[in-house]
Amino acid sequence: MTETNMKAVDDAAVDFLREDQLSLGIVLGQFLKTIYLSVILSCWMCLRLMGTLPGMIVMVLLIAGLVSGVIQLPTEPLGAWKVFKTLLFVIGGSALLLSLFGLFAILIVPPVVFEKDQVVIGSSRIAVSEITRLKLSEWARSRLLTICYEQNGVITEMPINLVRNEATQRKLDVLQAWCTTREISVEMK
């Protein structure tokens, strides 16, 4: 590269906006992971709730009601099925709420800007000197750009989903030149 081109690349800012980070495939893939994690988290919360004071109070009242005869145990399969359906409804309802919050988190993506001296991700800033490497993984419908940086001795990875199209590819080419001028390694997977 000539010195003029190096100066132009050094001063260039690469930005990945919302349209570069969201597509239907990315949202659906992330949403399916969110649903899976929400169901697991809901089951864990139900089990964990039994170990807290309100959960123990409910369990004591339930056991006292069963012993005193106020609450009848289901004697037929239909009654047991109603109890099981209620438990599934509680787990499913909390999983649905967690999934909706996860969907909102997926749809709110911060812009990512690679500036001359720093990388700005939403309101957080990472100095170029803290970046150890970038990893780029390619999938059928999307790309995953991972920024690896070290702050206070802790290495952190920040994944960024990218749409797979020509505009994003041009930005990635400029980003690779940006990394070359700053001596940041780029790993392709």
Side-chain angles (χ1 to χ4, degrees):
M1 272 186 160
T2 64
E3 191 172 321
T4 307
N5 289 342
M6 291 289 280
K7 179 73 173 147
V9 169
D10 194 41
D11 292 337
V14 183
D15 58 342
F16 294 104
L17 303 174
R18 181 185 175 108
E19 57 268 10
D20 297 322
Q21 298 181 48
L22 279 183
S23 71
L24 184 61
I26 291 172
V27 170
L28 286 177
Q30 293 293 324
F31 188 57
L32 290 175
K33 289 178 191 174
T34 302
I35 291 173
Y36 172 73
L37 292 175
S38 297
V39 169
I40 290 173
L41 186 61
S42 297
C43 291
W44 180 81
M45 286 186 330
C46 286
L47 291 174
R48 185 77 176 133
L49 185 63
M50 288 186 226
T52 62
L53 183 62
M56 287 183 191
I57 291 172
V58 168
M59 291 301 289
V60 165
L61 290 176
L62 183 65
I63 291 170
L66 287 171
V67 170
S68 66
V70 174
I71 301 174
Q72 297 292 324
L73 280 174
T75 56
E76 55 190 48
L78 187 62
W81 176 247
K82 285 183 181 180
V83 171
F84 185 67
K85 278 192 337 187
T86 304
L87 180 64
L88 285 179
F89 180 74
V90 168
I91 291 173
S94 63
L96 178 67
L97 287 174
L98 288 171
S99 296
L100 287 176
F101 287 130
L103 178 64
F104 292 135
I106 292 168
L107 294 176
I108 300 171
V109 293
V112 179
V113 181
F114 291 83
E115 296 176 347
K116 184 175 183 173
D117 299 328
Q118 63 187 355
V119 177
V120 180
I121 304 172
S123 61
S124 63
R125 300 180 185 285
I126 304 167
V128 170
S129 60
E130 296 174 339
I131 298 175
T132 56
R133 69 182 185 275
L134 296 180
K135 293 190 276 187
L136 184 63
S137 305
E138 297 205 13
W139 305 97
R141 294 186 179 158
S142 65
R143 292 183 173 107
L144 182 66
L145 176 67
T146 306
I147 304 171
C148 303
Y149 61 96
E150 184 176 353
Q151 287 181 334
N152 302 325
V154 177
I155 296 176
T156 307
E157 293 186 355
M158 175 73 70
I160 302 165
N161 287 307
L162 297 173
V163 176
R164 200 171 176 159
N165 60 21
E166 290 298 320
T168 306
Q169 182 59 48
R170 284 192 298 271
K171 290 180 180 184
L172 285 172
D173 293 339
V174 174
L175 179 62
Q176 285 182 333
W178 182 90
C179 289
T180 303
T181 59
R182 286 155 182 81
E183 298 176 357
I184 298 172
S185 67
V186 179
E187 294 178 14
M188 303 288 262
K189 291 185 178 182

